[in-house]
């Protein structure tokens, strides 16, 4: 007979599986040894029975090293029963919570806690409603003085005045009035349309002799005209030249007997009609001729010798001058437009209107004439335009 085996001894209490598991089930994993960090798989113990409450993490009988591994690998828990705000769930141990209204701390206690945060030596901040814009720096005052051309910043605006100006309590200083600088530009291509002369305090004399602006123009006198700046504009006057100074009309021109105007190359003069008229009938015999003019003015076209080449009576209905179309035409004058100007009697004077011609209608001066930027005048055959300096 085989020897009898000793009866199996009862396992120690520490080896009996928790929850009353039978001996046929695999034994529970052994606890990790001290001084070693077990993997997470070694901590996957069987859950306790449903009848027992879930064990707190702090009550597990685990070594400190295993507890650190659990805290590092597990996510923060969301405790619905946390009395704090939901945003602090799982972190209530690392956040300092201020006492709420339900605490027994008084306001004085809270102020006593916050007292060390306030520096008693720091000056109190001004209220927002009493704060104003900071005064401008000295550099700003210097810059304003330079802009206004002053050498003493204090004489322009003080710091208080500038602050009042920013708050709208005073009006800004007046804008300094600057004098425009005027220039004369030659408009003839044969003379040189790039010639520009700047006017100043000294008058400029134009001519063909020893003058400020001497030009090679056979129609210029040695001392022909003088131009000077007069405030925002200028003035031009004839110096008793042979051919005079002509200003281009920028609107209707009103003339009287003895005045002259020019269209194209035709110099026209307004003359008074002869008041002594011959009788239309003598001893019952009628004089030959057309219907006499009852106009007090006649238009005389002058030649280069000063004598009239044509003479035409003027009417209130108007006399049109041109190269092809009109009552008085000059087909050999290439400087005329087809219908250049119209001349008519208007009261006790004669009115001349340019009809949009290319070369314009020119009036001869009898004395100084004020000019504005954009005006054009002619000396001999040289055309000048008054303008404003760009710089």
């Amino acid at each position: 007979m085989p020897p009898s085996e000793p009866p199996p001894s009862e396992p120690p209490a520490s080896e009996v599986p928790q929850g009353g598991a039978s001996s046929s089930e695999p034994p529970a994993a052994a606890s990790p040894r001290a001084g070693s960090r077990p993997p997470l798989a070694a901590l996957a113990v069987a859950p306790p029975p449903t009848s027992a409450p879930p064990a707190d993490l702090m009550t597990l009988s685990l070594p400190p090293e295993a507890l650190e591994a659990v805290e590092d690998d597990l996510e923060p828990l969301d405790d619905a029963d946390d009395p704090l705000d939901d945003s602090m769930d799982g972190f209530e141990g690392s956040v300092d919570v201020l006492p709420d209204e339900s605490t027994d701390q008084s306001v004085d206690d809270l102020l006593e806690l916050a007292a060390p945060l306030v520096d008693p030596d720091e000056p109190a901040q001004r209220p927002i409603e009493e704060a104003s814009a900071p005064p401008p720096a000295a550099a700003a005052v210097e810059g304003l003085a330079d802009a206004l051309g002053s050498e003493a910043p204090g004489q322009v605006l003080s710091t208080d005045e500038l602050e009042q100006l920013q708050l709208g309590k005073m009006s800004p200083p007046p804008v300094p009035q600057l004098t425009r600088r005027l220039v004369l530009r030659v408009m003839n291509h044969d003379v040189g349309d790039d010639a520009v002369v700047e006017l100043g305090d000294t008058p400029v004399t134009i001519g063909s002799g020893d003058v400020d602006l001497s030009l090679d123009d056979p129609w210029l006198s040695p001392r022909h005209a003088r131009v000077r700046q007069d405030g925002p504009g200028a003035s031009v006057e004839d110096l008793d030249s042979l051919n005079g100074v002509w200003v281009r009309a920028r609107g209707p021109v009103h003339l009287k007997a003895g005045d002259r105007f020019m269209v194209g190359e035709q110099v026209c003069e307004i003359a008074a009609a002869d008041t002594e008229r011959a009788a239309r009938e003598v001893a019952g015999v009628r004089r030959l001729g057309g219907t006499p003019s009852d106009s007090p003015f006649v238009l005389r076209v002058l030649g280069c010798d000063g004598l009239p080449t044509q003479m035409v009576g003027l009417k209130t209905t108007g006399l049109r001058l041109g190269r092809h179309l009109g009552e008085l035409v000059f087909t050999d004058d290439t400087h005329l437009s087809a219908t250049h100007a119209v001349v008519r009697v208007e009261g006790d004077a004669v009115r001349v209107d340019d009809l949009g011609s290319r070369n314009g209608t020119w009036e001869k001066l009898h004395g100084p004439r004020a000019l504005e930027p954009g005006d054009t005048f002619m000396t001999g055959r040289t055309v000048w335009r008054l303008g404003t300096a760009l710089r």
Side-chain angles (χ1 to χ4, degrees):
M1 289 182 63
S4 60
E5 296 180 1
S9 60
E10 294 293 333
S14 59
E15 297 180 3
V16 178
Q18 297 182 4
S22 60
S23 60
S24 62
E25 296 179 358
S31 299
R33 291 178 298 173
S36 63
R37 181 184 179 119
L40 288 179
L43 300 178
V45 298
T50 55
S51 59
D56 191 356
L57 182 62
M58 301 299 295
T59 61
L60 291 177
S61 57
L62 297 176
E65 294 81 2
L67 182 59
E68 291 177 1
V70 173
E71 291 177 346
D72 291 341
D73 297 329
L74 294 181
E75 295 293 331
L77 300 178
D78 187 5
D79 190 358
D81 297 332
D82 188 3
L84 301 178
D85 186 70
D86 289 341
S87 61
M88 301 170 58
D89 289 345
F91 301 96
E92 60 273 12
S94 60
V95 179
D96 295 334
V97 182
L98 295 178
D100 55 12
E101 297 179 356
S102 62
T103 61
D104 295 336
Q105 282 184 302
S106 62
V107 177
D108 295 337
D109 296 336
L110 296 177
L111 293 178
E112 184 178 358
L113 293 175
L117 303 178
V118 180
D119 188 0
D121 297 333
E122 183 179 358
Q125 192 175 15
R126 298 176 60 186
I128 296 178
E129 60 271 15
E130 296 180 2
S132 59
V141 179
E142 294 286 348
L144 180 60
D146 294 341
L148 298 181
S150 174
E151 297 180 356
Q155 296 180 3
V156 181
L157 284 179
S158 64
T159 302
D160 295 338
E161 290 174 334
L162 284 175
E163 185 174 3
Q164 292 179 1
L165 177 61
Q166 293 177 353
L167 298 177
K169 296 181 180 180
M170 62 180 296
S171 59
V175 179
Q177 299 296 327
L178 302 178
T179 303
R180 293 186 297 181
R181 291 181 295 179
L182 303 178
V183 295
L184 287 177
R185 179 179 179 182
V186 179
M187 304 302 296
N188 301 65
H189 293 285
D190 53 347
V191 177
D193 56 357
D194 57 346
V196 178
V197 180
E198 184 173 350
L199 299 179
D201 299 333
T202 305
V204 177
T205 303
I206 303 173
S208 59
D210 186 11
V211 293
D212 301 319
L213 294 177
S214 181
L215 301 176
D216 185 14
D217 186 345
W219 288 274
L220 275 178
S221 297
R223 291 176 55 86
H224 197 110
R226 180 183 294 119
V227 183
R228 70 177 70 230
Q229 184 166 351
D230 187 9
S235 62
V236 60
E237 60 178 330
D238 183 27
L239 298 180
D240 297 328
S241 63
L242 176 64
N243 292 314
V245 177
W246 306 76
V247 176
R248 184 168 183 170
R250 301 181 70 174
V253 178
H254 295 85
L255 306 174
K256 60 181 185 298
D259 292 341
R260 295 181 180 182
F261 68 95
M262 181 168 22
V263 289
E265 293 183 340
Q266 309 304 316
V267 177
C268 304
E269 183 183 52
I270 305 298
D274 191 359
T275 56
E276 295 183 2
R277 301 176 182 273
R280 298 180 61 183
E281 184 177 339
V282 178
V285 179
R286 295 183 176 182
R287 191 182 301 273
L288 294 174
T291 303
S293 173
D294 54 358
S295 173
F297 299 101
V298 294
L299 176 66
R300 301 196 304 176
V301 181
L302 305 178
C304 60
D305 56 359
L307 299 178
T309 58
Q310 296 188 57
M311 185 179 298
V312 181
L314 298 177
K315 301 180 181 180
T316 56
T317 55
L319 177 69
R320 288 169 292 186
L321 290 76
R323 186 178 181 185
H324 299 295
L325 303 176
E327 289 74 28
L328 185 60
V329 297
F330 307 89
T331 56
D332 57 347
D333 190 345
T334 58
H335 294 83
L336 281 174
S337 298
T339 304
H340 199 107
V342 59
V343 184
R344 64 174 71 108
V345 176
E346 190 176 75
D348 57 352
V350 175
R351 172 173 171 168
V352 182
D353 293 275
D354 187 79
L355 298 179
S357 64
R358 180 175 182 179
N359 293 316
T361 300
W362 303 77
E363 175 190 3
K364 187 178 182 180
L365 299 184
H366 291 286
R369 171 69 64 88
L371 301 175
E372 297 180 355
D375 286 343
T376 308
F377 65 94
M378 181 168 55
T379 56
R381 284 295 184 182
T382 305
V383 179
W384 306 84
R385 174 172 292 177
L386 183 66
T388 305
L390 297 180
R391 55 183 176 86

